Amino acid sequence: MIEDVFVDIDKHNKKYGIIKLDKVYIAGGEPTMREDIFDIITLVSKMSKQVVLSSHADYERPSVLIPKLKKAGITNISISLHGPDPETHEFVTRTKDSFKNTMSSVEVCIDENITVSLNCVVTALNINKILDIV
């Protein structure tokens, strides 16, 4: 189904001389939970100059997963960070070690030359820590 949508988009864009889309975001829940995520990224990367993955990046083995994401075609990752420390971040995620895993993922993305953007929803819990998050 996803491939059919992109074939339609491609046909439409070619009518107007557009060879590739500028940027496509892959999001929704946690995309890396999908068994076919690498196939989706590969398909999207053929039709877009940039492929952005929106993720919590709470990966147990980021040094294994992130290079595979890059090889499939990810150019940018938008990562949710809820605080500057484990206490704040893990209160929101309700997941032990999620801060450590997320920060490790950020480091691996940087090492892999994947552009990283951090997203933070400002709440009463973290508003006094905004400068620390930045």
Side-chain angles (χ1 to χ4, degrees), residues 3-134:
E3 188 169 1
D4 290 344
V5 169
F6 272 100
V7 167
D8 287 345
I9 291 170
D10 191 48
K11 285 179 186 176
H12 172 79
N13 286 347
K14 283 184 179 171
K15 290 180 191 176
Y16 300 97
I18 299 170
I19 304 302
K20 278 193 165 194
L21 300 169
D22 287 330
K23 189 182 290 187
V24 172
Y25 287 82
I26 299 174
E30 176 52 44
T32 60
M33 300 295 286
R34 291 184 62 106
E35 291 180 15
D36 61 350
I37 190 62
F38 298 107
D39 295 331
I40 292 170
I41 294 168
T42 299
L43 173 67
V44 171
S45 70
K46 291 176 185 175
M47 299 184 175
S48 179
K49 297 173 188 171
Q50 292 184 26
V51 182
V52 182
L53 179 71
S54 180
S55 175
H56 58 50
D58 179 10
Y59 312 136
E60 289 182 19
R61 296 176 23 202
S63 61
V64 173
L65 179 63
I66 292 170
K68 288 181 181 178
L69 293 171
K70 181 177 181 174
K71 184 177 180 183
I74 288 297
T75 59
N76 304 55
I77 297 184
S78 178
I79 297 174
S80 300
L81 184 66
H82 303 287
D85 52 57
E87 176 187 31
T88 309
H89 184 81
E90 292 173 12
F91 181 83
V92 174
T93 64
R94 297 185 180 113
T95 306
K96 183 178 176 1
D97 294 330
S98 65
F99 181 79
K100 174 183 67 102
N101 292 343
T102 299
M103 295 309 294
S104 292
S105 294
V106 169
E107 291 176 18
V108 173
C109 287
I110 291 168
D111 290 345
E112 291 288 328
N113 293 315
I114 296 172
T115 301
V116 175
S117 62
L118 298 176
N119 302 313
C120 178
V121 175
V122 178
T123 66
L125 178 68
N126 65 16
I127 192 158
N128 293 327
K129 300 178 180 186
I130 292 300
L131 291 179
D132 294 332
I133 294 169
V134 172

